[in-house]
Amino acid sequence: MNHVCEKVNIKMKNFIRLLIGSGENCADIRYATGISTPDDFIFYEFNDTRCAILSALEIDRAKNNAKPGVTVLPESSFDSIKRLDILLAVAQKHHCRTFAVPEKFPLGLADKMRAAGVIVTVAEEDFFPQREFKTPDEVKLITAAQRAAEAGFARAVDILKNSSVDGNFISWQGKTLTSEILRAEIDSEILRNNMLPTGTICAGGIQGAQPHNAGSGPLKANSPIVMDIFPRSPESGYWGDLTRTVVKGKAPDIVRRAYDAVLEAREYAKTLIKPGSYGASIHCAAEGILEKHHFFTGSDERGQFGFFHGLGHGVGLEIHESPRLSPRAKNALRGGEVVTVEPGLYYPEWGGIRLEDLMYLPLDGSPALCLTAAPDFLEIS
Amino acid sequence: MNHVCEKVNIKMKNFIRLLIGSGENCADIRYATGISTPDDFIFYEFNDTRCAILSALEIDRAKNNAKPGVTVLPESSFDSIKRLDILLAVAQKHHCRTFAVPEKFPLGLADKMRAAGVIVTVAEEDFFPQREFKTPDEVKLITAAQRAAEAGFARAVDILKNSSVDGNFISWQGKTLTSEILRAEIDSEILRNNMLPTGTICAGGIQGAQPHNAGSGPLKANSPIVMDIFPRSPESGYWGDLTRTVVKGKAPDIVRRAYDAVLEAREYAKTLIKPGSYGASIHCAAEGILEKHHFFTGSDERGQFGFFHGLGHGVGLEIHESPRLSPRAKNALRGGEVVTVEPGLYYPEWGGIRLEDLMYLPLDGSPALCLTAAPDFLEIS
């Protein structure tokens, strides 16, 4: 069974590096080719050859968008357009019967390739480890998406400023303001900034105690509203990521104290974004600040409470990518990373507070830069 | 090597059926669990046990949304939260060392499982073949998304009606109308209908000759504009899919003739959506109508022209799913399918025409229903 779990060092060159994925959902293939597609296609790299193989439907657009050095071929240039047959033809053409593929390569195809006599090995490291370390151009593309997230947040703040309190609820333009209405307004602003909204969270009150609850129904005054806004550029594929939590009216004391603790944790963690810092240590430092403020983490019969997610994650062609800032993160920051710093506190009694900034640690050793320009405040009167 | 390519009939019960994916990107796991997540989680089925295993971050929301009969467990209820360790614990718990997984199961994990002594086999058919055959409830959810697509199209028509022709270009509210502006208006309307826009195409003139070109820049009068609108429900995960092509002003003769041919091809193909019809035959029938109108398919040094994509595809929890209506489709329709019927003609000289309706073939043998309510017309004066 040795061939099954055989591993390769992907810096070696005696194999064909192979990816299969859609430009929209597979960040590696978009990174390698610059091509964005809804459907899967083949990319391979062998010595100086870098080749994308696509269906008729995509071929012209792919040729327009392919990165320099990437050859675009139609499936129809092969004798058979079956994926297995194409890959066997590629192996024959380059006189190489070993393919190195990423961890997520589809098992069904790999099994067929192995049955046909080629070796398929899973690359030991990330397929493009350099994706973790952003070029200045990539930072610009991420920042552009971040600006759209901020525009969406500014729109939400504007609506909340122009709302009134009607009993327990928030009223805007004569109607009860709901999560759905607020989200649609944020998302429309993102669209006007030529970015795509992708599932904006507007979770009020106790809905905010579930970090990924998108929010629904009427929004209450004097209660926290978590807004997590992560637009993506349809052209570049890069993401932005921003979270703010606000209260229309007056924040209850516990909410104000949680807000202050989370803000202090975030600002302290941001000072630790530097070369040599370990993701796990930064996470623990933030947790320590929250505990200093007497906010503890645990679970009971109602579920989890406190700070029970990772402090942050890389952002690039994936919204969640390497590196992680979490108890499980193993590596130290080196420079080039773009990461979120987003501590949060969640309690089923009153809801959640999450405050998220986006940080860039330059390659040249200079101090980390905050890519987020959105202001911090809790109450909107 | 026999174990590597071993296959199983997934109706057998002496194995654990296993999925790993995110609710947002893996339709099978959303279908099985009802849970929508941005990150991957584990689902398995063994005899009467159906179990989703998720991280702390998702657990409360997952419990709220899980389909009846699905047990939701936190990763932390296992001794180790490493995926491989969890799966080995599952195998031990059920005294079963064989897992059946879908074609796209991640190879890296499968290799590790095999190295640890469990058998991982790729299911021979679709993991949930019943996904192809929609229940009345699913048809309602698809239709709801389709209504949002139609609202987006109606908004575009309204804008074009209220536009003027300024030289070669279309002018709206005192500015040149661009693909970007028109798309943002369509997408905002989709958001107001509580659906997510996902990459709306507004491709004018020769950009429309590339079926998946999203469109950019000023839109010309007297030239076709292809609008392909495919919103998704953030709650249910089901999609709609609608394409119309219009001209602001007067359509050139060739565009009018192409439009008439595509419309006739679509309407004829729709009459063939019935039990026993083969997807390949329906595609060929549509192509025949286009050829009758002297529109031919081929390629030259500028790329492809004519009708060079499949006539249609299933729509459900994936925007492109089984069955296909294309030359490669092997099966006949049986009843229960929701499919697009979308012939198109594309010529680099003048652009493209695509007209797409969504059809539902009921399970009970009654005639196919058109789920699309958008009107057909070419010119907007």
Side-chain angles (χ1 to χ4, degrees):
Chain A
M1 272 183 58
N2 191 48
H3 73 281
V4 172
C5 48
E6 196 176 342
K7 300 261 183 181
V8 292
N9 179 324
I10 60 173
K11 285 173 200 113
M12 286 167 60
K13 281 287 178 193
N14 56 346
F15 51 80
I16 299 166
R17 297 178 74 205
L18 173 66
L19 285 171
I20 291 182
S22 74
E24 285 172 13
N25 290 326
C26 173
D28 279 335
I29 211 163
R30 188 159 191 172
Y31 188 80
T33 66
I35 299 169
S36 171
T37 56
D39 298 318
D40 288 354
F41 66 95
I42 294 171
F43 168 78
Y44 77 88
E45 204 174 277
F46 183 72
N47 293 334
D48 293 335
T49 303
R50 294 161 63 214
C51 188
I53 302 168
L54 296 100
S55 78
L57 191 55
E58 299 290 0
I59 205 77
D60 290 336
R61 194 171 59 135
K63 282 182 181 167
N64 289 347
N65 296 342
K67 285 189 176 178
V70 175
T71 304
V72 174
L73 289 181
E75 290 173 344
S76 57
S77 66
F78 292 82
D79 289 338
S80 153
I81 61 168
K82 279 193 181 163
R83 205 151 271 171
L84 176 64
D85 295 335
I86 290 174
L87 295 176
L88 295 177
V90 165
Q92 191 154 32
K93 178 182 171 186
H94 295 293
H95 306 290
C96 177
R97 52 186 283 279
T98 303
F99 287 88
V101 302
E103 199 276 336
K104 287 201 170 189
F105 191 82
L107 173 64
L109 182 58
D111 278 355
K112 282 183 197 160
M113 292 167 70
R114 287 168 174 174
V118 303
I119 296 167
V120 183
T121 60
V122 176
E124 245 177 71
E125 14 181 341
D126 283 346
F127 211 68
F128 294 112
Q130 65 269 39
R131 266 187 49 210
E132 191 167 336
F133 309 101
K134 270 69 179 177
T135 65
D137 279 346
E138 289 181 288
V139 175
K140 272 184 206 159
L141 296 170
I142 294 166
T143 305
Q146 189 69 357
R147 290 293 98 86
E150 291 158 6
F153 175 64
R155 173 72 182 138
V157 171
D158 193 50
I159 287 168
L160 290 166
K161 278 189 178 154
N162 288 292
S163 298
S164 56
V165 176
D166 184 5
N168 284 328
F169 292 99
I170 303 171
S171 176
W172 181 58
Q173 295 187 339
K175 286 197 297 191
T176 301
L177 186 66
T178 62
S179 291
E180 290 82 353
I181 293 170
L182 192 60
R183 173 164 44 245
E185 291 295 330
I186 293 170
D187 287 355
S188 293
E189 189 64 30
I190 290 169
L191 290 169
R192 281 189 286 271
N193 284 264
N194 297 320
M195 299 286 165
L196 279 178
T198 62
T200 301
I201 291 173
C202 291
I206 58 170
Q207 292 177 359
Q210 296 174 7
H212 281 180
N213 188 321
S216 59
L219 288 166
K220 282 187 176 169
N222 312 316
S223 181
I225 304 170
V226 178
M227 290 183 273
D228 192 340
I229 308 171
F230 36 106
R232 189 179 198 192
S233 165
E235 278 112 41
S236 75
Y238 285 87
W239 297 76
D241 202 355
L242 169 71
T243 308
R244 290 291 184 267
T245 306
V246 300
V247 169
K248 170 70 182 180
K250 180 134 182 59
D253 182 58
I254 181 71
V255 172
R256 160 61 68 188
R257 288 197 294 113
Y259 180 88
D260 290 343
V262 171
L263 187 59
E264 185 180 329
R266 190 193 74 194
E267 290 305 300
Y268 180 61
K270 282 161 68 178
T271 68
L272 304 177
I273 303 292
K274 50 193 179 187
S277 282
Y278 282 83
S281 308
I282 305 170
H283 175 98
C284 291
E287 194 171 359
I289 301 282
L290 299 174
E291 289 180 354
K292 184 189 82 175
H293 285 269
H294 309 289
F295 287 103
F296 300 100
T297 299
S299 67
D300 59 22
E301 66 290 349
R302 293 170 307 174
Q304 305 186 88
F305 58 81
F307 174 44
F308 52 83
H309 57 68
L311 177 69
H313 54 82
V315 171
L317 284 170
E318 287 179 285
I319 178 67
H320 295 153
E321 62 179 36
S322 295
R324 306 276 164 169
L325 307 182
S326 81
R328 283 195 258 174
K330 288 188 191 130
N331 296 324
L333 297 175
R334 288 162 45 181
E337 296 92 345
V338 171
V339 291
T340 68
V341 177
E342 47 175 317
L345 285 171
Y346 310 91
Y347 294 90
E349 297 84 17
W350 54 264
I353 298 281
R354 183 165 65 256
L355 300 173
E356 174 183 36
D357 277 359
L358 196 57
M359 299 296 291
Y360 167 51
L361 184 61
L363 271 163
D364 62 6
S366 58
L369 299 169
C370 185
L371 301 181
T372 302
D376 283 297
F377 50 82
L378 176 59
E379 291 177 349
I380 297 175
S381 57
Chain B
M1 270 180 61
N2 191 47
H3 73 281
V4 172
C5 47
E6 196 175 341
K7 299 262 182 181
V8 292
N9 178 326
I10 60 174
K11 287 176 198 111
M12 287 168 60
K13 281 289 178 191
N14 55 347
F15 51 80
I16 299 166
R17 298 178 74 204
L18 174 65
L19 285 171
I20 292 182
S22 74
E24 285 172 15
N25 289 327
C26 174
D28 278 335
I29 212 164
R30 188 158 192 175
Y31 188 80
T33 66
I35 299 168
S36 172
T37 56
D39 297 319
D40 288 354
F41 66 95
I42 293 172
F43 168 78
Y44 77 87
E45 204 174 279
F46 183 73
N47 294 332
D48 293 336
T49 303
R50 294 161 64 213
C51 188
I53 302 167
L54 296 100
S55 77
L57 191 55
E58 300 289 359
I59 206 77
D60 291 335
R61 195 171 60 135
K63 283 182 181 168
N64 289 347
N65 296 343
K67 286 188 176 179
V70 175
T71 305
V72 174
L73 290 180
E75 289 172 345
S76 57
S77 65
F78 292 82
D79 289 339
S80 152
I81 60 169
K82 278 192 183 165
R83 205 151 274 171
L84 176 64
D85 294 336
I86 290 174
L87 296 177
L88 295 177
V90 166
Q92 191 153 33
K93 177 180 172 189
H94 295 293
H95 307 291
C96 178
R97 53 186 285 278
T98 303
F99 287 88
V101 302
E103 200 276 334
K104 286 202 170 187
F105 192 83
L107 174 65
L109 181 58
D111 278 355
K112 282 182 196 159
M113 292 167 71
R114 287 169 174 173
V118 303
I119 296 168
V120 182
T121 60
V122 176
E124 244 176 71
E125 15 181 341
D126 283 347
F127 211 68
F128 294 112
Q130 64 269 40
R131 265 187 50 211
E132 191 168 335
F133 309 101
K134 271 68 181 178
T135 65
D137 280 347
E138 289 182 287
V139 175
K140 272 184 208 159
L141 295 169
I142 294 165
T143 305
Q146 188 70 357
R147 290 293 97 86
E150 290 158 8
F153 175 64
R155 173 72 182 138
V157 170
D158 192 51
I159 287 167
L160 290 166
K161 277 188 179 156
N162 288 291
S163 297
S164 55
V165 175
D166 185 6
N168 284 328
F169 293 99
I170 302 171
S171 176
W172 181 58
Q173 294 187 339
K175 286 197 297 191
T176 300
L177 185 66
T178 62
S179 291
E180 290 84 353
I181 292 171
L182 192 59
R183 173 164 43 244
E185 292 294 330
I186 292 170
D187 287 355
S188 293
E189 189 65 29
I190 289 169
L191 290 169
R192 280 189 287 270
N193 284 266
N194 297 320
M195 299 286 164
L196 280 178
T198 62
T200 301
I201 291 173
C202 291
I206 58 170
Q207 291 177 358
Q210 296 173 6
H212 281 180
N213 188 321
S216 59
L219 288 165
K220 282 188 177 169
N222 312 315
S223 181
I225 304 170
V226 178
M227 290 183 273
D228 192 341
I229 308 171
F230 37 106
R232 189 178 199 193
S233 164
E235 278 111 41
S236 74
Y238 285 87
W239 297 77
D241 201 354
L242 169 71
T243 309
R244 290 291 184 264
T245 307
V246 300
V247 169
K248 170 71 182 180
K250 182 139 180 54
D253 182 57
I254 181 72
V255 172
R256 162 58 69 186
R257 288 197 294 112
Y259 179 88
D260 291 343
V262 171
L263 186 60
E264 185 181 330
R266 190 193 74 193
E267 291 304 300
Y268 180 60
K270 282 161 66 178
T271 68
L272 304 177
I273 304 293
K274 51 191 178 188
S277 282
Y278 283 82
S281 308
I282 305 169
H283 177 98
C284 291
E287 193 171 359
I289 301 282
L290 299 174
E291 289 181 353
K292 184 189 82 175
H293 286 270
H294 308 289
F295 287 103
F296 300 99
T297 299
S299 67
D300 58 21
E301 67 290 349
R302 291 169 308 173
Q304 305 186 88
F305 58 80
F307 175 44
F308 52 85
H309 57 68
L311 177 68
H313 53 82
V315 171
L317 284 170
E318 287 179 283
I319 177 67
H320 295 153
E321 63 179 35
S322 294
R324 305 278 163 167
L325 307 181
S326 80
R328 282 195 260 175
K330 287 188 192 131
N331 296 325
L333 298 174
R334 288 163 44 181
E337 298 91 344
V338 171
V339 291
T340 68
V341 177
E342 48 175 316
L345 285 170
Y346 310 91
Y347 294 90
E349 298 83 15
W350 54 264
I353 298 281
R354 182 165 67 257
L355 300 173
E356 174 184 37
D357 277 358
L358 197 57
M359 300 295 292
Y360 167 51
L361 185 62
L363 270 163
D364 61 7
S366 58
L369 299 169
C370 185
L371 301 181
T372 303
D376 284 296
F377 49 82
L378 176 59
E379 291 177 350
I380 296 175
S381 58

